[in-house]
Amino acid sequence: MRLHVVPLPSCRRPSIRAILAVLLGAAALAVPGQAVAHAAEYDGFIDVTPSNADAEAIGGLDPRLPTDPGVLGAALSAARADRVAPTRYSALLHQYWLVRGTEASGIDLATWDPNAGLIANATVVDRVYENYGRYQRERAELYWSGMAGMAGGSFAAGFWDLDMGRTVLGVDAVHALGDAVASSIRGLPAEVMSLVPSDVRTLATVGPAITAEDVDWYQKRLLKMQKHIYFDMVPMHEAYLNDGRAAVEEFAAAGLFDENARIAWEGVFSGTKTGYADALFRMASREQNQIIADQWDVTAAARDGVGRALTYATTVAAQPSVPGSGAPGKAAPLSVTGYVDGRQLRLRAPLPAFNWADREPRWEYIVSDIAPSYQQLVETRPGEMQTILAMPFRDFVDTQRVVRRIPDLVRDLSTGWELVEVQ
């Protein structure tokens, strides 16, 4: 006997949408609730390409990332727990330790704006360098941070000199330097003008016409570079100080390091003075040749000669605050030789032979003068190093002010020129 099956009236063919809904619901039930909660913690904080990586705008790495360390820390822990690839949460990791660093430095990251000028950033400038010094005082192996904190004394002094009523490396002082150089150039025979380097001629011609707006622009360029260095260096140092080698290796896993930085940190981990010194030079190279090199290039090329005039003027006036290091004009004095009308002539002047904004000579000056001087200080006179870094930073800055020596500097620029025939 054949059975005749009659479909029940209530059973209709399920729709595709209904089937998908059932399957998705089953999938949701199959995923542990804890994993779903984890994903919510870091939602929106992974695969972020920072929009403020060069630190030229207000705030942190990117406005999509919070500046609350609790929120960032929870998101980071959740991403790790869910085994998210470190390269995907690199910006989150970077921002977390940046926030931890600014918090330890006493800086409000959310309101840090280099475009606001020096007065608005005066306390921030001090705390940036105080924090570098703190790293060195707490951990003897962190040579680079100690040098950064100490060299920051002359850098910060330049900030204040630039802003001091628009005098003393402000408008009046740049005019004075330009006038002094122009006067000396006018004393040279016309036929030897070809021996005078272009930066010297630019300072002589553009310097006397520098405006307050030019100085304000230049000062803000320096503030941006200061913030950029901090953005790069402080997170990794803060991570190391708090969580040691494993925290630094997470930076490497996240792609925040290149090979030079990895080797530098291996030097820090080595436990040897040789390794610490190698890290000093490698981190200094990262700072100057990678982090802010492009920003110096842009600054020097800007404003129809104003950038060159101001970068050279501040090179002329610089007085490094690391004991044992020499001013640019002493470490690399200007001496050029050339043929004029069949005669070989040498021109010497009380000026630096380079502009700090230029990559190769800037690095040569650091690697041959400032960094070796700091290495010698930290290894042979650690007590002196500790004393300097423990000074109230503003007091230390006051000892570096160009205001105390600008009359002598202008006099030297007017009198120390020499033109001789080479036999």
Side-chain angles (χ1 to χ4, degrees):
M1 181 177 66
R2 294 179 61 187
L3 293 175
H4 181 68
V5 179
V6 178
L8 295 174
S10 59
C11 291
R12 293 178 296 178
R13 188 175 183 178
S15 68
I16 296 297
R17 179 175 296 179
I19 292 173
L20 288 175
V22 171
L23 291 175
L24 289 173
L29 291 174
V31 177
Q34 188 64 32
V36 175
H38 282 173
E41 293 280 2
Y42 54 79
D43 183 42
F45 301 158
I46 60 171
D47 299 322
V48 172
T49 300
S51 61
N52 192 31
D54 61 1
E56 295 199 356
I58 190 171
L61 288 167
D62 192 281
R64 291 169 289 181
L65 297 171
T67 55
D68 183 322
V71 174
L72 290 165
L76 188 56
S77 296
R80 291 167 177 156
D82 285 352
R83 300 185 181 278
V84 176
T87 51
R88 298 190 65 199
Y89 64 74
S90 61
L92 172 63
L93 176 70
H94 194 170
Q95 178 89 343
Y96 171 70
W97 285 112
L98 176 60
V99 168
R100 289 284 300 273
T102 52
E103 190 175 60
S105 304
I107 295 170
D108 180 7
L109 179 61
T111 62
W112 187 357
D113 184 8
N115 297 289
L118 178 63
I119 298 304
N121 285 283
T123 300
V124 172
V125 169
D126 291 350
R127 290 177 179 173
V128 163
Y129 296 114
E130 288 170 349
N131 186 65
Y132 290 141
R134 173 178 70 90
Y135 291 147
Q136 173 72 100
R137 286 187 289 112
E138 293 186 11
R139 301 296 291 267
E141 66 269 28
L142 297 178
Y143 284 18
W144 175 85
S145 62
M147 182 178 73
M150 197 171 292
S154 57
F155 197 67
F159 278 134
W160 283 111
D161 288 331
L162 280 165
D163 204 73
M164 187 177 166
R166 302 303 179 189
T167 63
V168 189
L169 278 193
V171 174
D172 292 350
V174 175
H175 289 178
L177 294 177
D179 287 338
V181 172
S183 176
S184 297
I185 288 178
R186 282 194 296 270
L188 296 173
E191 62 270 20
V192 303
M193 284 299 295
S194 61
L195 296 181
V196 179
S198 60
D199 276 330
V200 178
R201 294 198 300 270
T202 299
L203 179 57
T205 55
V206 177
I210 290 291
T211 67
E213 290 74 20
D214 292 330
V215 171
D216 181 64
W217 162 83
Y218 182 56
Q219 184 185 67
K220 289 173 182 175
R221 292 296 303 170
L222 298 180
L223 287 166
K224 291 173 183 178
M225 285 186 265
Q226 181 206 43
K227 185 178 179 182
H228 195 184
I229 294 170
Y230 186 101
F231 267 34
D232 184 82
M233 288 296 198
V234 164
M236 64 179 85
H237 280 78
E238 192 68 28
Y240 174 70
L241 201 69
N242 284 274
D243 289 347
R245 179 171 186 162
V248 174
E249 290 176 343
E250 187 177 23
F251 269 70
L256 294 169
F257 282 175
D258 63 3
E259 183 68 3
N260 175 66
R262 187 194 65 76
I263 295 172
W265 279 105
E266 288 296 331
V268 172
F269 303 149
S270 72
T272 68
K273 288 184 177 179
T274 299
Y276 302 161
D278 185 63
L280 165 67
F281 285 86
R282 287 181 180 277
M283 288 185 180
S285 178
R286 179 178 177 88
E287 169 198 351
Q288 293 295 329
N289 298 324
Q290 295 175 249
I291 303 172
I292 58 171
D294 290 345
Q295 287 168 308
W296 271 123
D297 291 345
V298 170
T299 302
R303 299 172 83 94
D304 297 322
V306 166
R308 293 302 302 186
L310 284 171
T311 53
Y312 189 61
T314 47
T315 308
V316 170
Q319 181 62 51
S321 45
V322 175
S325 59
K330 297 290 186 182
L334 178 63
S335 179
V336 293
T337 303
Y339 285 90
V340 177
D341 295 336
R343 296 183 300 156
Q344 188 177 20
L345 302 176
R346 177 182 295 118
L347 173 66
R348 292 193 177 97
L351 293 165
F354 69 97
N355 187 321
W356 180 264
D358 294 335
R359 300 182 185 213
E360 291 185 10
R362 177 176 70 246
W363 177 238
E364 176 61 26
Y365 175 50
I366 292 170
V367 78
S368 64
D369 192 279
I370 297 178
S373 295
Y374 187 78
Q375 180 186 354
Q376 184 176 37
L377 174 69
V378 73
E379 292 182 352
T380 64
R381 307 190 306 280
E384 182 181 349
M385 176 271 292
Q386 288 281 350
T387 298
I388 294 173
L389 292 179
M391 286 179 64
F393 189 73
R394 191 64 61 86
D395 292 347
F396 179 51
V397 168
D398 284 344
T399 69
Q400 307 299 314
R401 296 289 292 275
V402 179
V403 63
R404 294 181 171 82
R405 60 191 183 86
I406 196 71
D408 293 337
L409 182 60
V410 170
R411 184 196 63 235
D412 291 345
L413 291 180
S414 302
T415 59
W417 294 67
E418 179 184 66
L419 180 67
V420 296
E421 185 170 0
V422 179
Q423 300 298 326

